[in-house]
Amino acid sequence: LGVLKLLAAHPDNQVAVAKQGLIDATVNAMLAHEACTEIQVLCCELLHMLAANPLLPAELGEKGAVDAVVRCMEAHAWSEALLEQGCTVFRNLGLHKGQQQMMLAKKVVEVVIIAMSANLENPVIQEQGCWALWNMCLDDKVELEVAEKGGVVAICKALEQHHDNVKITEVVLWMLLNMAYTHTCLQQHIMDCGAMPLIEGALLKFPKHQEIKRRATEILEKVFN
């Protein structure tokens, strides 16, 4: 697996090694060694590299990779290293059009939110989890489901816990802004989740960060005026 991970780290190799059975081999290794956290982490690292390739996302879903990652995140919920990698798999996979509804059906939203809720102090899980949820929201229909399943609450908690983390602040504000514009029905929900003081806090914390300033200002104008 270590050798395969090195091969998969190079985008030029990813499609070729996938055609040689890399995805199948990785999923089979996860199934055969479900109790071994180290193997699960290594396999998730490999899969998150492949998930970033726009030519491979459908194959990952068809060959059981998404199911395998969900299972290992549930079975090894105590392992922060594994949850970091699992959330990164879903962050990368969610970038690709057409994958969001498949991920929703396979309970990705639930497993990501559980990981975030149980590891509030871990900035990597919070950042990758926020990105995973946000990328799933690129599908408007999935976005409503993400909110209903607790996605807004989860990202607000992430921002509250890591209010000094610029990367988490950026993705949370981006997600809230998109939700406020795409679905006006979510505006009250955003308010109810306590977003307003967090957004105002972001403006105070990063007064010179133009993108944070723009997103925060737009949300306040859209939702709270």
Side-chain angles (χ1 to χ4, degrees), residues 56-62 66 92-105 136 139 142:
L56 296 176
E59 191 170 353
L60 288 169
E62 292 167 1
V66 176
N92 291 346
L93 191 59
L95 284 168
H96 308 297
K97 185 177 180 181
Q99 300 307 304
Q100 295 85 8
Q101 293 197 25
M102 177 273 291
M103 294 167 68
L104 177 69
M136 290 186 68
D139 183 304
V142 174

Side-chain angles (χ1 to χ4, degrees), residues 18-192:
K19 287 182 178 179
Q20 295 297 318
L22 177 59
I23 297 173
D24 288 321
T26 303
V27 172
N28 289 337
M30 295 176 78
L31 292 172
H33 303 280
E34 289 185 332
C36 181
T37 306
E38 290 78 9
I39 289 177
Q40 300 297 317
V41 172
L42 187 58
C43 288
C44 284
E45 286 185 72
L46 200 158
L47 290 174
H48 89 63
M49 296 174 190
L50 298 180
N53 191 308
L55 299 177
L56 296 176
E59 191 170 353
L60 288 169
E62 292 167 1
K63 293 182 177 294
V66 176
D67 292 319
V69 176
V70 168
R71 279 196 303 270
C72 78
M73 289 178 70
E74 292 174 335
H76 300 266
W78 52 269
S79 172
E80 294 186 28
L82 189 146
L83 298 178
E84 290 171 5
Q85 294 300 325
C87 286
T88 306
V89 172
F90 296 138
R91 170 186 179 167
N92 291 346
L93 191 59
L95 284 168
H96 308 297
K97 185 177 180 181
Q99 300 307 304
Q100 295 85 8
Q101 293 197 25
M102 177 273 291
M103 294 167 68
L104 177 69
K106 293 182 179 293
K107 310 298 182 183
V108 170
V109 175
E110 290 87 341
V111 77
V112 168
I113 289 175
I114 289 171
M116 293 175 68
S117 299
N119 299 276
L120 280 172
E121 295 184 0
N122 184 312
V124 178
I125 291 175
Q126 297 304 312
E127 181 187 348
Q128 298 303 323
C130 285
W131 273 111
L133 295 175
W134 161 230
N135 287 341
M136 290 186 68
C137 288
L138 297 176
D139 183 304
D140 292 349
K141 294 179 180 178
V142 174
E143 186 172 54
L144 289 171
E145 293 283 346
V146 170
E148 183 177 331
K149 293 178 183 295
V152 179
V153 173
I155 65 171
C156 284
K157 286 182 178 178
L159 182 54
E160 182 179 17
Q161 182 71 32
H162 300 277
H163 56 87
D164 57 347
N165 185 307
V166 66
K167 292 182 179 179
I168 291 175
T169 302
E170 286 178 328
V171 64
V172 170
L173 292 181
W174 197 353
M175 185 169 167
L176 291 174
L177 179 60
N178 189 75
M179 283 185 160
Y181 269 101
T182 307
H183 301 286
T184 55
C185 60
L186 292 178
Q187 293 178 9
Q188 184 62 48
H189 179 58
I190 291 171
M191 292 179 65
D192 293 341

